[in-house]
Amino acid sequence: MNQAQALYQLQKLDQDISQRKSRLAEIEVLLGEDTRVQAAGQTVAQAEKALAPWRTQASDLDLEIKSVTAKAEAVEQRLYSGAVSNPKELQDMQEEIASLKRRRARLEDDLLEAMIAVEDGQQALAEAHATLEQATAQWERDQHDLLAEQTGHQSQLLALREQRAALKSEITPASLETYKRLFRGKQGQVVAPLQDTNCQFCGVSQTSKTVQEARQARELVYCENCGRILVIL
Ligand SMILES: [Zn+2]
């Protein structure tokens, strides 16, 4: 392995290390993040909030209907008991019964409407609960997968760093210095394979002198266009 080839291997290791490190950073953010679960929880809370007043209204109307019914029955009993004989009073009682029955009919209409709203609200709540359960289960699976992926990258990183340390013993300080110097400016793409006579990175054809020197690999040879170290694999 000549210096260019060793640097090319080093670059591959560095790219692998860097990709795993940025994925680990992403995983760090994703672990514990439960946006979907939170949103589903909010939907449940909203559905509960929307349902509660209809439930109260239905139960209030039910009580009121019972009370109006009882009142009408009491007046009816008195009316047919024979205890009252005054025609004016009897007429008033009949009118009161009719009025109570009209009121009950209106209340029953309102109750029906409230009961339909309760039913709709209960269905929405059940759906929201199902979505929350689904989101929670998915979240648990995702967290499990992320943790497994994290462990995988972490152990791979250890291995890659060992390989890197071993590889460095084959690289001269001067070559390593050049690699480091170019690293930032070339965004980590320091070494480019030579394919036929072209730099594989920029695609520009090299002179036969450069190709010859790259073949000999006595020292580092650079792409005439992009300045990357050329390597023949
Ligand atoms: Zn180039």
Side-chain angles (χ1 to χ4, degrees):
M1 189 157 47
N2 62 46
Q3 286 299 292
Q5 285 164 342
L7 288 178
Y8 186 68
Q9 292 306 316
L10 184 69
Q11 171 173 290
K12 285 216 296 204
L13 288 176
D14 281 345
Q15 282 169 350
D16 199 351
I17 288 170
S18 147
Q19 276 164 11
R20 286 177 196 275
K21 276 167 77 177
S22 56
R23 179 58 186 158
L24 277 171
E26 277 174 18
I27 290 173
E28 200 64 45
V29 174
L30 291 171
L31 278 173
E33 189 184 81
D34 59 351
T35 323
R36 275 190 62 217
V37 175
Q38 274 184 27
Q42 275 169 9
T43 309
V44 169
Q46 279 163 3
E48 275 167 353
K49 209 177 156 190
L51 176 58
W54 285 113
R55 275 194 168 134
T56 309
Q57 197 174 332
S59 119
D60 288 353
L61 285 165
D62 193 46
L63 281 177
E64 207 177 340
I65 288 167
K66 282 191 178 119
S67 143
V68 169
T69 307
K71 218 170 171 182
E73 275 169 9
V75 181
E76 262 176 347
Q77 262 180 20
R78 231 180 123 228
L79 175 67
Y80 300 119
S81 68
V84 181
S85 52
N86 181 328
K88 171 78 175 87
E89 204 178 330
L90 286 171
Q91 198 190 344
D92 285 352
M93 284 163 82
Q94 275 168 339
E95 273 168 14
E96 193 186 355
I97 291 166
S99 154
L100 285 168
K101 284 185 173 168
R102 281 196 302 275
R103 193 163 154 225
R104 194 177 72 182
R106 282 198 302 273
L107 289 168
E108 279 170 348
D109 284 348
D110 290 348
L111 178 61
L112 185 65
E113 195 189 320
M115 278 164 68
I116 290 169
V118 166
E119 232 170 81
D120 289 350
Q122 277 170 336
Q123 199 184 335
L125 183 60
E127 279 165 16
H129 270 300
T131 306
L132 176 61
E133 257 172 54
Q134 237 174 18
T136 307
Q138 183 64 51
W139 182 80
E140 278 163 7
R141 283 196 294 274
D142 289 349
Q143 294 290 302
H144 178 269
D145 291 352
L146 285 169
L147 283 172
E149 194 189 341
Q150 187 184 48
T151 310
H153 288 309
Q154 280 163 345
S155 66
Q156 276 300 307
L157 272 179
L158 284 179
L160 287 166
R161 284 187 176 123
E162 272 174 29
Q163 285 176 44
R164 195 182 191 278
L167 183 64
K168 264 173 83 177
S169 65
E170 298 192 36
I171 299 169
T172 66
S175 299
L176 193 61
E177 206 44 55
T178 306
Y179 176 83
K180 282 184 184 164
R181 181 169 48 78
L182 291 175
F183 195 87
R184 195 175 279 271
K186 309 288 183 201
Q187 286 84 40
Q189 301 269 359
V190 177
V191 190
L194 192 67
Q195 204 170 30
D196 301 326
T197 62
N198 299 327
C199 164
Q200 212 180 60
F201 185 87
C202 69
V204 167
S205 177
Q206 310 293 307
T207 61
S208 51
K209 179 172 175 286
T210 300
V211 173
Q212 180 75 12
E213 283 171 356
R215 285 221 178 86
Q216 289 164 346
R218 285 200 202 101
E219 53 188 20
L220 295 176
V221 178
Y222 302 90
C223 168
E224 293 156 23
N225 177 54
C226 72
R228 286 178 171 79
I229 298 164
L230 292 171
V231 64
I232 294 182
L233 297 172

